[in-house]
């Protein structure tokens, strides 16, 4: 465990020196505060709205931005070391491949957590202080679920990036495949489900359809936050179709944890079999 923590600390400090934390936190904070304040501008209203509406808007933002940040942060974690010639050097130390991977994962996962807490936490702080329609009793639990689920979603995509990084031999291929994964999970998957609904004229089994959403961690993230709100006015599209599935908050968190565990295990397995 000590070896893992040493690698994690080194990776985290590299992120601090490279201003990853500052960049991600500033980006999330500016986007979150801007969306919270100007999110209702299309309807002719400028200013903070209800917590439910704000969380729904921030969930739509996070589901696009968090996976992209996670993939860009870690797509070259392993293949980059191999290309630079430092992977062989690292493995000469009393350090197993599993310890190296988990240490790097913990360091980069920590970067994402700190940046997410600062970014979305700043929006929560400003809403709690200045939003007339929001009380701390509403802001704290809603943003706590948002931040927790955003961190889990980011970790899932970091593990996905590690699978790619352990599998390919070049950073350029890892970068291309990372963008492809983002495109598939964030955009294409839901379009495919919508296509199925249109093609079947909505006759797809209503008991099966919500379970299909669990095959995409971004949809699990959406369900988790919209389920927590229990506000029908801000739920639409595929999420409204799955709203009656009755998935609990705990169950949806466990689904994300399962995604995380499966992808991390796959990354470890692939890295162990990689030739240096």
């Amino acid at each position: 465990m000590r070896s893992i923590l040493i690698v994690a600390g080194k990776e985290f400090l590299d992120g601090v020196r490279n201003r990853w934390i500052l960049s991600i936190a500033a980006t999330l904070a500016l986007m979150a505060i801007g969306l919270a304040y100007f999110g209702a501008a299309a309807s002719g209203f400028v200013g903070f709205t209800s917590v439910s509406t704000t969380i729904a808007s921030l969930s739509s933002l996070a589901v696009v931005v968090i996976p992209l940040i996670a993939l860009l942060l870690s797509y070259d974690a392993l293949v980059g070391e191999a290309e630079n010639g430092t992977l062989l050097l690292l493995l000469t130390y009393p350090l197993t491949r599993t310890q190296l991977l988990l240490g790097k994962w913990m360091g980069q996962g920590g970067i994402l957590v700190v940046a997410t807490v600062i970014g979305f936490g700043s929006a929560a702080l400003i809403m709690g202080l200045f939003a007339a329609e929001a009380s701390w009793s509403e802001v704290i639990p809603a943003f706590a679920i948002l931040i927790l689920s955003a961190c889990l979603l980011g970790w899932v995509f970091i593990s996905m990036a590690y699978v790619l990084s352990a599998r390919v031999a070049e950073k350029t291929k890892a970068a291309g495949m990372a963008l492809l994964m983002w495109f598939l999970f964030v955009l294409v998957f839901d379009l495919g489900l919508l296509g199925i609904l249109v093609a079947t004229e909505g006759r797809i089994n209503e008991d099966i359809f919500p379970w299909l959403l669990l095959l995409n961690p971004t949809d699990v993230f959406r369900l988790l936050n919209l389920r927590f709100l229990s506000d029908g006015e801000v739920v639409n599209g595929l999420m409204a179709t799955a709203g009656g599935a009755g998935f609990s908050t705990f169950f949806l968190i466990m689904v994300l944890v399962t995604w995380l565990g499966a992808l991390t295990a796959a990354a470890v397995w692939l890295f162990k079999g990689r030739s240096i």
Side-chain angles (χ1 to χ4, degrees):
M1 188 63 185
R2 183 171 178 271
S3 298
I4 295 176
L5 292 177
I6 290 173
V7 175
K10 185 262 183 189
E11 202 70 32
F12 186 86
L13 291 176
D14 285 346
V16 173
R17 283 192 291 267
N18 295 333
R19 294 182 172 85
W20 265 110
I21 290 180
L22 179 61
S23 301
I24 298 171
T27 300
L28 290 178
L30 289 173
M31 295 178 74
I33 294 171
L35 193 59
Y37 191 77
F38 295 104
S43 59
F45 175 80
V46 175
F48 294 110
T49 57
S50 67
V51 174
S52 294
T53 303
T54 300
I55 292 295
S57 299
L58 292 179
S59 297
S60 299
L61 167 70
V63 83
V64 174
V65 175
I66 294 293
L68 183 60
I69 290 174
L71 289 169
L72 293 177
L73 178 65
S74 52
Y75 76 91
D76 63 343
L78 303 175
V79 69
E81 298 281 7
E83 276 198 2
N84 295 334
T86 54
L87 181 58
L88 186 59
L89 175 63
L90 287 172
L91 293 178
T92 61
Y93 295 116
L95 187 70
T96 66
R97 295 192 183 197
T98 300
Q99 289 173 329
L100 175 62
L101 186 147
L102 293 180
K104 292 176 75 68
W105 186 97
M106 286 179 62
Q108 293 179 335
I111 291 171
L112 189 67
V113 168
V114 172
T116 302
V117 170
I118 294 173
F120 287 142
S122 60
L125 180 62
I126 290 176
M127 277 202 70
L129 292 174
F130 300 109
E133 298 184 17
S135 64
W136 285 111
S137 60
E138 293 177 302
V139 170
I140 292 175
F143 272 87
I145 290 292
L146 175 66
I147 291 172
L148 172 62
S149 57
C151 290
L152 281 172
L153 181 65
W155 290 345
V156 168
F157 277 87
I158 286 177
S159 292
M160 191 180 298
Y162 272 64
V163 170
L164 300 177
S165 194
R167 179 69 180 83
V168 302
E170 299 175 4
K171 284 199 295 186
T172 53
K173 288 184 179 179
M177 292 182 68
L179 290 176
L180 178 62
M181 290 297 102
W182 177 84
F183 188 72
L184 289 175
F185 281 100
V186 175
L187 300 176
V188 175
F189 186 88
D190 285 355
L191 289 176
L193 289 185
L194 284 172
I196 293 174
L197 284 176
V198 172
T200 60
E201 298 180 350
R203 291 194 296 270
I204 188 172
N205 192 315
E206 294 182 0
D207 294 329
I208 296 176
F209 184 80
W211 293 90
L212 296 178
L213 295 176
L214 303 184
L215 299 177
N216 185 349
T218 63
D219 284 332
V220 178
F221 171 82
R222 289 191 185 101
L223 283 171
L224 180 57
N225 284 280
L226 297 181
R227 164 81 180 174
F228 177 77
L229 297 175
S230 300
D231 188 344
E233 294 181 359
V234 298
V235 180
N236 49 46
L238 292 175
M239 297 302 106
T241 305
F247 297 138
S248 67
T249 299
F250 177 77
F251 173 77
L252 293 172
I253 290 175
M254 287 298 101
V255 172
L256 284 177
V257 171
T258 301
W259 266 100
L260 175 61
L263 287 170
T264 304
V268 170
W269 179 73
L270 287 170
F271 189 44
K272 282 184 175 181
R274 182 190 179 103
S275 59
I276 305 300

